[in-house]
Amino acid sequence: MKTKFQKYWQNEILPYLQGKQIYLACSGGVDSVVLFYLLKEHHISFEVLHVNYQLRGDDSDSDENFVSQLCVANNIVFHSKKVDTQAIKKQEGGGIQEIAREIRYQWFQEFTSKNGAILTAHHLNDQIETVLFRLARGNGFSALDGISNRVKADIFRPLLTFSKEEIQQFAQDKKLAFSEDLSNAKNDYSRNKIRNLAIPIFKEIFPNLEIRFKESLEDIAQKKALLELQQEEWNHRFLAKEPFGFSIEKRTIGQNKLILSNFFFQFGFKDQHSLEKLPFLETGKKLLSTSFELIVGRQKYYLKNLSITEKNSFTICENELKATENEFQLPIESRILVEDLSIRLDKTKLVFPLEIRKRKSGDYFYPEKFHGKKKLKDFLNSLQMDIPQKDATWLLCDQEKILWVIGYRKDKRALANLKEGEILELKISKD
């Protein structure tokens, strides 16, 4: 195991750790203790992180004390965090395991944000549990990802290719002491049931379960890498940049389940069942991931980036305007369909200050070359705009009226007459 670990460490982990302080997440269980000693035997400098969730009374304190003494005996810096997990559950709700995971990874961020890298002791049997759990839950193709050996940028899993049996045998051969979490033997949680009840049955049927599973995951990883290459080419050809994020033609996606799941997975959409229904949803329907809002349009799907914070308006004071042409740049990229991006206004018909803003409920204007007034909503609908396109449309207004649906149609009430009035010329820049 020592030689196998060294090879995996050199090839898969070490290239990402240059200049980083290494931290080992150590619960005191056999997995993290084995990783502790493997790091020591390979003369890898590290510090230890331990979370006491206070879920098992004296046993939780005993685990913390065990890890602390292990660090003292080996001259390793020890960091601990004690949390009343049950109190958080009562206050915020949710499952204990998810709360504990959130606590753990939030604490890890305090170290990774200071150029640290975290090592966890997840192993091959954790992979098997995760894939079975996700498949049973209906995660589709994404379930086959299993656990990555690298989480985000700075969390790594050096034992991912080792089975639980190999880890336990190493501990036995080295006569390593560790703290056993007795709650792992209880079937209170879904993962525990898979570990304690389902996997033993699989192993009874397939004695080489871990080996065969590992081979399958490696094969899937290779095919997934090929799909990702194809996805990059596909994105380059078909994914259109929008002010709010991206769009793609519906006909390009089609109804193929694999294409749907693989394409939208990159934007955080992992619910296979929702994606399968996507081609049949009405215009305007929305799905949410953690980072994007997926909006169904007439001919397109729109992906609104939730991290983009737009400025919805800005003011133009009269003293900012010049007697000659004035040019203003929109605060974000805007997709405008026409080249006529200038307007000549009669300054005597304007109520200052002017404003460039997004649409509001009840907006109306008097379109040039059109009889009477028109609701802005109806005008944008006549252009076959979907909601994201409407939201990306800019208006030039004064304090009383819309002067211009920028790039689409001008309001005739304040347009300059060359024979009279004081001409004010404004130009909008696309870039």
Side-chain angles (χ1 to χ4, degrees):
M1 184 174 180
K2 183 177 178 180
T3 303
K4 185 178 172 183
F5 174 83
Q6 184 177 20
K7 182 178 178 181
Y8 189 77
W9 178 268
Q10 292 287 339
N11 295 335
E12 303 295 335
I13 306 295
L14 188 59
Y16 302 102
L17 298 181
Q18 303 304 319
K20 293 183 179 293
Q21 170 63 53
I22 299 172
Y23 299 92
L24 168 63
C26 185
S27 65
V30 62
D31 308 325
S32 55
V33 168
V34 164
L35 182 52
F36 182 103
Y37 279 101
L38 283 169
L39 295 174
K40 284 286 293 180
E41 289 193 358
H42 287 87
H43 307 290
I44 298 166
S45 176
F46 66 97
E47 297 178 9
V48 161
L49 308 179
H50 177 85
V51 183
N52 182 345
Y53 301 104
Q54 301 188 76
L55 291 171
R56 296 179 293 114
D58 292 341
D59 288 343
S60 292
D61 294 334
S62 178
D63 289 347
E64 180 179 357
N65 184 61
F66 171 81
V67 178
S68 174
Q69 293 303 313
L70 179 66
C71 291
V72 170
N74 289 275
N75 197 29
I76 301 292
V77 176
F78 175 67
H79 305 268
S80 65
K81 182 180 181 69
K82 185 173 286 190
V83 184
D84 190 343
T85 311
Q86 286 289 3
I88 295 174
K89 175 178 170 60
K90 289 179 182 178
Q91 183 177 354
E92 301 180 5
I96 283 290
Q97 289 188 323
E98 286 303 314
I99 292 170
R101 186 181 187 280
E102 185 70 21
I103 290 168
R104 182 165 63 249
Y105 282 96
Q106 281 184 358
W107 190 44
F108 288 172
Q109 285 180 359
E110 295 180 21
F111 297 90
T112 57
S113 65
K114 299 173 183 177
N115 201 35
I118 311 290
L119 307 182
T120 71
H122 291 88
H123 48 75
L124 182 56
N125 290 70
D126 291 323
Q127 279 274 35
I128 298 172
E129 291 172 22
T130 298
V131 171
L132 290 176
F133 180 76
R134 290 177 180 172
L135 282 172
R137 198 169 57 178
N139 286 85
F141 183 75
S142 64
L144 301 177
D145 280 346
I147 305 174
S148 171
N149 69 342
R150 185 183 181 194
V151 187
K152 299 180 180 178
D154 299 302
I155 300 177
F156 302 86
R157 292 157 172 169
L159 298 185
L160 213 52
T161 61
F162 296 93
S163 69
K164 182 74 171 184
E165 187 176 342
E166 289 177 290
I167 292 169
Q168 289 173 329
Q169 187 62 52
F170 181 89
Q172 183 178 325
D173 293 343
K174 296 288 184 179
K175 296 182 173 56
L176 302 181
F178 54 88
S179 180
E180 190 65 58
D181 184 348
L182 297 178
S183 68
N184 287 332
K186 297 180 181 180
N187 296 322
D188 297 338
Y189 306 109
S190 298
R191 286 183 179 271
N192 285 23
K193 290 178 181 178
I194 292 172
R195 180 187 310 127
N196 300 327
L197 302 176
I199 290 180
I201 295 174
F202 274 101
K203 286 204 69 172
E204 184 179 332
I205 302 169
F206 306 105
N208 295 328
L209 175 67
E210 289 91 350
I211 295 172
R212 298 290 176 246
F213 212 92
K214 181 182 175 184
E215 290 173 349
S216 294
L217 286 175
E218 289 171 350
D219 181 65
I220 289 166
Q222 291 175 358
K223 289 180 170 60
K224 184 172 180 288
L226 179 60
L227 270 175
E228 288 173 350
L229 287 174
Q230 293 175 333
Q231 185 70 64
E232 288 180 13
E233 174 64 22
W234 216 54
N235 287 349
H236 179 72
R237 290 178 60 191
F238 302 118
L239 194 63
K241 185 75 175 67
E242 300 282 359
F244 46 81
F246 305 96
S247 69
I248 189 165
E249 296 281 349
K250 282 184 175 181
R251 58 183 173 81
T252 303
I253 294 279
Q255 298 180 18
N256 183 286
K257 294 180 182 179
L258 178 59
I259 293 176
L260 280 166
S261 61
N262 194 51
F263 177 78
F264 289 110
F265 183 82
Q266 65 185 314
F267 297 102
F269 295 92
K270 301 177 182 180
D271 186 341
Q272 182 76 17
H273 296 300
S274 296
L275 293 176
E276 287 175 5
K277 296 175 184 176
L278 194 58
F280 311 103
L281 295 180
E282 297 177 1
T283 298
K285 292 292 185 181
K286 301 176 181 180
L287 298 177
L288 274 177
S289 74
T290 55
S291 50
F292 280 87
E293 182 179 51
L294 171 55
I295 305 168
V296 179
R298 293 178 176 86
Q299 305 296 331
K300 296 180 179 181
Y301 296 118
Y302 300 92
L303 289 150
K304 185 176 181 181
N305 190 335
L306 300 178
S307 67
I308 294 177
T309 55
E310 299 181 24
K311 185 176 181 179
N312 288 318
S313 67
F314 61 99
T315 302
I316 304 171
C317 297
E318 187 173 5
N319 58 13
E320 297 177 47
L321 299 170
K322 301 177 291 186
T324 55
E325 181 184 279
N326 297 268
E327 183 169 337
F328 296 92
Q329 183 174 325
L330 294 181
I332 63 167
E333 178 189 350
S334 181
R335 177 164 294 186
I336 296 175
L337 301 180
V338 297
E339 294 301 322
D340 181 11
L341 294 176
S342 62
I343 187 170
R344 293 163 66 88
L345 298 166
D346 186 339
K347 193 173 180 181
T348 63
K349 296 179 180 178
L350 302 178
V351 181
F352 287 93
L354 305 183
E355 182 183 26
I356 294 179
R357 65 169 173 85
K358 297 294 185 68
R359 65 189 178 117
K360 297 178 182 176
S361 177
D363 274 340
Y364 69 90
F365 73 125
Y366 287 77
E368 186 184 21
K369 300 177 183 178
F370 184 86
H371 179 69
K373 75 175 182 180
K374 194 173 184 68
K375 291 181 180 178
L376 179 65
K377 175 183 176 181
D378 294 339
F379 173 73
L380 298 179
N381 284 337
S382 72
L383 298 178
Q384 297 291 296
M385 281 192 181
D386 291 312
I387 291 174
Q389 294 170 315
K390 294 175 184 177
D391 290 341
T393 300
W394 290 92
L395 310 172
L396 174 66
C397 311
D398 69 3
Q399 295 300 294
E400 296 179 346
K401 55 190 173 294
I402 291 175
L403 304 170
W404 187 15
V405 183
I406 296 175
Y408 296 100
R409 191 67 63 89
K410 296 164 185 172
D411 184 295
K412 59 189 176 185
R413 288 172 290 178
L415 288 179
N417 184 330
L418 296 180
K419 296 181 180 179
E420 59 184 30
E422 185 179 345
I423 295 175
L424 173 65
E425 186 167 359
L426 301 176
K427 184 177 182 181
I428 299 296
S429 171
K430 278 188 179 183
D431 301 317

